[in-house]
């Protein structure tokens, strides 16, 4: 999820992400992918196989208050795209 979430934030705030990456000296998506690989976990396969579950998860996420930390909070379509990317093989 972290890798897909970073990509989503990058689409919304590319300059802020670029500045953070410059200050940290890392590519955030590559770093997130490395964490996932080191943890030995895969993608969210259950979401890839079950569109209804992916929709339920996106709708549940839509109401989370912490999404307001990156104003404006993402809309349902953006959350669907983030969860879809997290579930996509090799994505």
């Amino acid at each position: 999820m972290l890798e897909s979430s970073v990509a989503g934030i990058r689409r919304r705030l590319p300059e802020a992400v670029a500045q953070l990456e410059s200050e940290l000296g890392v590519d955030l998506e590559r770093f997130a992918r490395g964490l996932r690989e080191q943890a030995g976990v895969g993608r969210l396969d259950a979401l890839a196989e079950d569109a209804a579950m992916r929709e339920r998860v996106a709708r549940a996420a839509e109401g989370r208050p912490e999404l307001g930390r990156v104003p404006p909070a993402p809309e349902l379509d953006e959350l669907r795209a983030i969860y879809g990317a997290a579930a996509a093989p090799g994505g």
Side-chain angles (χ1 to χ4, degrees), residues 18-26:
Q19 181 179 350
L20 181 60
E21 288 178 326
S22 176
E23 290 173 9
L24 295 176
V26 299

Side-chain angles (χ1 to χ4, degrees), residues 71-88:
E75 294 182 2
L76 184 57
D77 284 342
E78 187 174 357
L79 294 169
R80 286 179 181 131
I82 290 169
Y83 280 102

Side-chain angles (χ1 to χ4, degrees), residues 13-70:
L13 302 166
E15 296 85 12
V17 173
Q19 181 179 350
L20 181 60
E21 288 178 326
S22 176
E23 290 173 9
L24 295 176
V26 299
D27 175 286
L28 292 176
E29 283 129 319
R30 185 176 303 142
F31 180 76
R33 187 172 32 260
L35 288 176
R36 180 174 48 82
E37 291 169 357
Q38 284 183 329
V41 296
R43 310 222 29 108
L44 301 177
D45 296 340
L47 294 181
E49 298 166 6
D50 189 338
M53 181 188 298
R54 196 167 50 251
E55 180 68 16
R56 286 191 308 272
V57 169
R59 286 187 180 275
E62 184 180 30
R64 296 185 63 133
E66 58 269 23
L67 292 178
R69 293 182 188 155
V70 183

Side-chain angles (χ1 to χ4, degrees), residues 1-9 28-29 31-33 35-36 86:
M1 273 307 306
L2 182 59
E3 186 179 349
S4 299
S5 297
V6 168
I9 293 171
L28 292 176
E29 283 129 319
F31 180 76
R33 187 172 32 260
L35 288 176
R36 180 174 48 82

